[in-house]
Amino acid sequence: LQLSQNVTDAGPSVAINYNRGANRYMRIQWKHFGHRNGNYFSAGLSIVEFTHGLQILRYGMWYYDFNNPPNDIPCYGWCMNKDGYSDSFIYSRIPNTNLSPTQSFDTWLNAEVVIDFEAGTIAPKLNGTTYASESIRTDWGNKIGIQFSPYGWNTGHYLRIDDLSIQSQNTAFP
């Protein structure tokens, strides 16, 4: 699947409504190819909790630097963004890899996230390397929104997704 941003500041997205049931663990795996055309690009995966509507996790390949700390923290390569701990978004950008922008863009990458809803953690994996898990809220409901987008300023960005797999179960994934 290729999502191309051909309209200024308004790219397409694809969303999946997923019911994880009462399962403790959820794993999302996909192949990711992102192309950026400019200084602001945040293509990747968003995971939204629908029951309370406050928890949003974004994980993907970002490139931006507004140079406006503390709210706009530079992020190059793969990052995680935890929003929505209140009615106003609180951004916590967490670099998860040492990939340079040239290693992150215009190449296929194998991405994965595993969420443990009971422990309140999300663990990212990229190209077979597992990175430190991050804490998330534990009050997630069963209905989860999964969205992919090539968003960036201006036009010319695109995101390719292949081999998407979404699973949930009560035993930990290997």
Side-chain angles (χ1 to χ4, degrees), residues 23-85:
N23 291 313
R24 176 178 176 169
Y25 299 95
M26 184 173 81
R27 178 170 65 184
I28 305 169
Q29 298 171 299
W30 72 101
K31 289 184 180 173
H32 182 112
F33 184 105
H35 173 78
R36 72 177 177 88
N37 186 36
N39 290 331
Y40 181 87
F41 178 72
S42 59
L45 166 72
S46 296
I47 306 168
V48 181
E49 189 276 331
F50 283 136
T51 303
H52 302 98
L54 296 179
Q55 176 74 68
I56 302 170
L57 299 170
R58 292 186 178 93
Y59 181 65
M61 179 175 46
W62 295 2
Y63 183 92
Y64 61 85
D65 184 354
F66 293 121
N67 197 21
N68 184 24
N71 296 324
D72 295 320
I73 302 167
C75 178
Y76 306 103
W78 283 80
C79 301
M80 188 179 300
N81 178 346
K82 300 186 292 185
D83 299 350
Y85 283 86

Side-chain angles (χ1 to χ4, degrees), residues 105-124:
F105 300 101
D106 297 319
T107 188
W108 282 102
L109 303 169
N110 294 311
E112 175 181 315
V113 291
V114 174
I115 300 174
D116 181 337
F117 294 101
E118 187 175 305
T121 60
I122 183 168

Side-chain angles (χ1 to χ4, degrees), residues 74-97:
C75 178
Y76 306 103
W78 283 80
C79 301
M80 188 179 300
N81 178 346
K82 300 186 292 185
D83 299 350
Y85 283 86
S86 66
D87 288 335
S88 61
F89 285 163
I90 298 172
Y91 294 93
S92 174
R93 295 181 180 94
I94 305 157
N96 285 315
T97 70

